[in-house]
Amino acid sequence: MTSAAFHVQQARRHLETGNAAQALADAEQGLAAHPRDASLQLVAAQGLMALERFTEAVAQLEALTAAAPETGEAWMRLGACRLHMGDMAGAVDALEHGVACAPDSFIARLQLAEALQAMDRTDDALVHFFRAVTTAQAKGRWLGDQTTAPDLRERVRRAMTIIDAGRHALFFNAITPLVEQHGADDLRRVAQALEGYLGLRPAGSPDPRQKPTFFYVPDLQPEPYFDRALFPWYAALEQAADAIRADLQQVLAAREGLQPFLDFSGGARKSDFLDNARDLDAAAWDGYFFYRHGEAYAEHLAACPATSAALAQVPLTRIDGHAPEVLFSLLSPGTVIKPHHGVTNSRVVTHLPLIVPPDCALEVGGVEHVWAEGRCVTFDDTFLHAAWNRSDRLRVVMILDTWHPRLREVEVQALTRLVETIGTFNTRAGVA
């Protein structure tokens, strides 16, 4: 008996040369001997589609998806068939299944976005247009005419136009009520920051040391470190330093609840961020989190009552899904945190040093700062910054974030709404 793979190979060869009828005949001959072979069913459906026998192709593909619902290609071809037949709702259902099975299939996602747009589901369409284009561009495609197939160029241009207009409207609408209430002048910096984020104006800092990786608010005086007088809540936090340190000692004794500060699951390497002159494997930056990405760690707050009470007096940055970020930051002996930039200058980072051996320091914008136990320091982490523990003992500081002290309250409200809106959209679009 001739193998199923042989018939698939023959059929695909005929499809490539434009002989759809012979391709279908080869596939059907193979199916006579191997009726349940998914590859043969798929190539038979391709032959039917090439012959514009869409009703038969749909029947073939519906049978295949029912038997093997994890077959993304079958769902995507089913969606394409239904599009040809004018069944937009059916096409959307099939294509949604297809991209769920194969999220990086940017052409199928483009088809899904177009179908959603045709159904006036513009918000959903925008998400999929954006993800289709960003996925393709991450693979070196759709960067211009040279990297876009001729039959797709107009569709990709239209997708980009929809993306630009849709994101502009979505994000500006997040702050429009505040602009109408307070006036454009009060929200000028936020509006300009959004224009920079969308690529509508230059978004760089006048200080070359400062390079936010996500969002830059202009006209906030760039400075690596901030004057203590800007933070009236320092006093209460520093007065509680001994009690906070006692909480920390309980944490260190139990050694429970600690987790790596950095996430290497996306393929990043420890050596990209950390170094240890003695042994790279020993390099460690761990955290005992009270808040992370805006989520409270209730058990940790309860286990450290003095810390929890002190934090209640600090005006932490609060953005759903994003902030605050508060933790005991543990840097192992010999470990260096390599120079890097933070995400946005709209918020600043404070350290309350708790355990500081000799040969430990922070450097921001080329300016070195040696921590003093119990004395806060606040800096703008969008400046190139690094930290090190060159001692043979553990170093621990408490890290927390607050809004930039020179932002007005209405700007804080607008930035909160805006970052939440951008974050929600990016999450839906699969953007990290």
Side-chain angles (χ1 to χ4, degrees), residues 48-255:
L48 290 166
M49 291 173 69
L51 294 167
E52 298 187 0
R53 291 162 59 180
F54 295 113
T55 301
E56 295 169 76
V58 164
Q60 180 87 52
L61 291 164
E62 285 178 341
L64 178 53
T65 55
E70 73 286 352
T71 309
E73 185 179 355
W75 283 112
M76 290 183 277
R77 294 195 182 282
L78 177 57
C81 281
R82 288 175 173 168
L83 283 174
H84 279 289
M85 298 172 70
D87 178 9
M88 288 297 172
V92 165
D93 178 72
L95 290 167
E96 285 178 336
H97 278 89
V99 297
C101 295
D104 289 346
S105 299
F106 47 88
I107 293 177
R109 197 176 291 278
L110 176 63
Q111 290 178 312
L112 172 58
E114 291 168 336
L116 289 165
Q117 189 82 355
M119 296 174 68
D120 290 327
R121 291 174 55 184
T122 54
D123 289 347
D124 294 329
L126 177 61
V127 168
H128 289 288
F129 276 125
F130 186 73
R131 187 163 183 179
V133 170
T134 54
T135 301
Q137 292 183 340
K139 296 177 179 291
R141 307 283 293 279
W142 298 2
L143 298 170
D145 282 354
Q146 295 302 313
T147 55
T148 307
D151 60 325
L152 287 175
R153 287 173 187 168
E154 188 56 41
R155 292 168 65 190
V156 170
R157 290 191 196 102
R158 180 172 177 270
M160 291 180 174
T161 299
I162 290 170
I163 290 167
D164 289 343
R167 291 172 76 233
H168 184 282
L170 177 65
F171 300 155
F172 271 99
N173 284 345
I175 63 173
T176 294
L178 289 171
V179 173
E180 293 173 346
Q181 180 181 354
H182 296 273
D185 285 347
D186 281 356
L187 277 304
R188 175 187 57 82
R189 288 191 296 201
V190 177
Q192 290 178 347
L194 179 52
E195 289 172 353
Y197 175 74
L198 292 170
L200 302 175
R201 60 177 290 141
S205 167
D207 191 318
R209 298 170 298 171
Q210 184 183 34
K211 296 179 181 179
T213 61
F214 165 59
F215 199 82
Y216 173 71
V217 180
D219 298 335
L220 288 175
Q221 182 179 348
E223 48 198 327
Y225 298 96
F226 293 88
D227 191 316
R228 292 174 57 84
L230 293 168
F231 308 98
W233 45 267
Y234 268 13
L237 193 60
E238 291 178 346
Q239 287 169 9
D242 288 343
I244 293 171
R245 190 180 296 106
D247 283 346
L248 168 64
Q249 295 295 354
Q250 296 285 344
V251 170
L252 295 178
R255 303 299 295 184

Side-chain angles (χ1 to χ4, degrees), residues 219-336:
D219 298 335
L220 288 175
Q221 182 179 348
E223 48 198 327
Y225 298 96
F226 293 88
D227 191 316
R228 292 174 57 84
L230 293 168
F231 308 98
W233 45 267
Y234 268 13
L237 193 60
E238 291 178 346
Q239 287 169 9
D242 288 343
I244 293 171
R245 190 180 296 106
D247 283 346
L248 168 64
Q249 295 295 354
Q250 296 285 344
V251 170
L252 295 178
R255 303 299 295 184
E256 294 180 358
L258 298 177
Q259 62 187 96
F261 183 85
L262 298 171
D263 179 8
F264 300 112
S265 62
R269 299 170 299 177
K270 180 186 285 190
S271 59
D272 293 335
F273 300 94
L274 301 177
D275 195 11
N276 190 307
R278 307 165 194 171
D279 178 6
L280 181 58
D281 290 338
W285 182 12
D286 294 322
Y288 183 84
F289 287 89
F290 298 100
Y291 296 89
R292 191 168 208 189
H293 309 312
E295 179 184 352
Y297 283 50
E299 290 185 5
H300 291 186
L301 288 164
C304 299
T307 305
S308 182
L311 290 173
Q313 301 179 67
V314 178
L316 299 170
T317 309
R318 296 192 182 275
I319 306 174
D320 285 350
H322 299 272
E325 194 102 338
V326 183
L327 67 148
F328 291 149
S329 170
L330 286 65
L331 198 61
S332 295
T335 298
V336 174

Side-chain angles (χ1 to χ4, degrees), residues 278 331-337 355-362 368-371 387-395:
R278 307 165 194 171
L331 198 61
S332 295
T335 298
V336 174
I337 301 172
I355 299 175
V356 184
D359 297 322
C360 294
L362 168 72
E368 185 174 314
H369 171 86
V370 178
W371 294 288
W388 56 85
N389 174 6
R390 297 192 175 111
S391 79
D392 58 0
R393 290 185 285 145
L394 180 69
R395 184 238 61 181

